[in-house]
Amino acid sequence: MTELERKIGYDFKDKLLLETALTHSSYMNERSLKMSYERLEFLGDSVLGMLTAEMLYTTKSKLSEGELTKRRAMLVCEPSLANAANNMELWRFVRVGRGEEQTGGRKRPSIMADVVEAVLAAVYLDGGLDSARDFAKVHIWPAAKELTVTDFKTILQEKVQNKGMTATYHLIGEDGPPHMKRFTTEVRFDGKPMGIGEGTSKKEAEQAAAQSAMEKGNL
């Protein structure tokens, strides 16, 4: 745990909190343990949402409520959290069961995102709100800015495939003069509309649609 504490820049007083934050339910069940990270993830989701809203409110004074909501969704969505987890190499420390290990669960974006929220909650419980805010400031919010639009399509495709579904992109609108075209694309899961995005190219619109579906939590 010492190596991970160095990576995240926080030294836990209660090491059990960090250990729990890194324990997947599959590992808990195999080892007959009492707790996995799920309760911490629940708390971490709320703490991160509040801290992100606070940060945006104080630093983006000119943004409307709708724009603030969109920015917050971008900062706390699964691709952003999974990227933060990869930057911290949390996959090296998370404890998963044999089945999850064999199917690549250790590096699965959904699990990595959950672990980030659990670790944030552990930091919050161990060191208070200021420590949690510092953790988000250093490890979570910058990770969202590193993402390229390609990450959203790639991660979305992986999530859809894991659920046995198919994601398809459909051009539903095209406006503007030839030199200033705007395209509107809809992403559908097994034919069901799940997200809409716009862009100056068809590819950009597809990426925006994938991002929209991720931010809405449609998986």
Side-chain angles (χ1 to χ4, degrees):
M1 294 299 175
T2 302
E3 181 184 356
L4 179 55
E5 287 174 315
R6 285 199 299 267
K7 279 184 174 293
I8 67 177
Y10 182 80
D11 186 18
F12 280 84
K13 297 182 284 291
D14 183 355
K15 308 294 184 184
L16 182 59
L17 278 171
L18 179 58
E19 185 176 306
T20 302
L22 298 169
T23 302
H24 189 262
S25 57
S26 61
Y27 186 93
M28 176 192 73
N29 293 331
E30 285 185 4
R31 304 300 177 94
S32 298
L33 301 178
K34 293 183 178 180
M35 293 193 66
S36 69
Y37 63 59
E38 290 178 352
R39 284 174 56 84
L40 284 172
E41 176 207 342
F42 166 79
L43 176 60
D45 178 69
S46 295
V47 172
L48 178 59
M50 186 277 291
L51 288 173
T52 304
E54 175 195 63
M55 180 273 291
L56 291 171
Y57 182 83
T58 57
T59 61
K60 306 294 182 182
S61 60
K62 295 183 179 181
L63 294 185
S64 66
E65 177 189 0
E67 291 170 327
L68 289 169
T69 299
K70 187 173 182 179
R71 291 285 186 94
R72 180 178 61 184
M74 170 65 178
L75 290 170
V76 303
C77 68
E78 183 179 300
S80 298
L81 296 177
N83 192 43
N86 287 331
N87 289 345
M88 290 181 278
E89 297 185 316
L90 290 185
W91 57 270
R92 292 176 49 204
F93 305 94
V94 67
R95 305 192 298 180
V96 298
R98 289 186 294 273
E100 283 291 344
E101 188 76 74
Q102 292 170 0
T103 58
R106 176 177 296 278
K107 291 186 177 182
R108 187 170 296 133
S110 59
I111 290 179
M112 287 293 93
D114 292 346
V115 171
V116 170
E117 291 180 331
V119 171
L120 173 69
V123 171
Y124 166 70
L125 292 174
D126 193 73
L129 199 56
D130 286 342
S131 295
R133 186 181 291 108
D134 289 341
F135 180 84
K137 187 185 299 183
V138 173
H139 298 291
I140 297 180
W141 299 328
K145 297 176 182 178
E146 295 171 2
L147 286 177
T148 66
V149 289
T150 303
D151 292 312
F152 287 100
K153 278 195 73 173
T154 300
I155 295 174
L156 180 67
Q157 187 65 27
E158 180 177 331
K159 287 179 68 64
V160 169
Q161 288 176 345
N162 287 338
K163 291 183 176 291
M165 298 187 294
T166 301
T168 56
Y169 294 84
H170 303 267
L171 183 66
I172 61 174
E174 186 174 334
D175 297 301
H179 64 288
M180 292 182 61
K181 283 283 187 182
R182 293 288 299 179
F183 300 91
T184 302
T185 296
E186 182 177 73
V187 61
R188 302 171 187 170
F189 301 165
D190 286 348
K192 182 180 179 181
M194 300 302 280
I196 293 178
E198 296 183 356
T200 57
S201 69
K202 293 179 181 179
K203 287 186 177 181
E204 185 178 304
E206 289 179 359
Q207 304 294 1
Q211 180 180 343
S212 172
M214 294 294 298
E215 291 175 351
K216 291 177 181 178
N218 284 328
L219 285 177

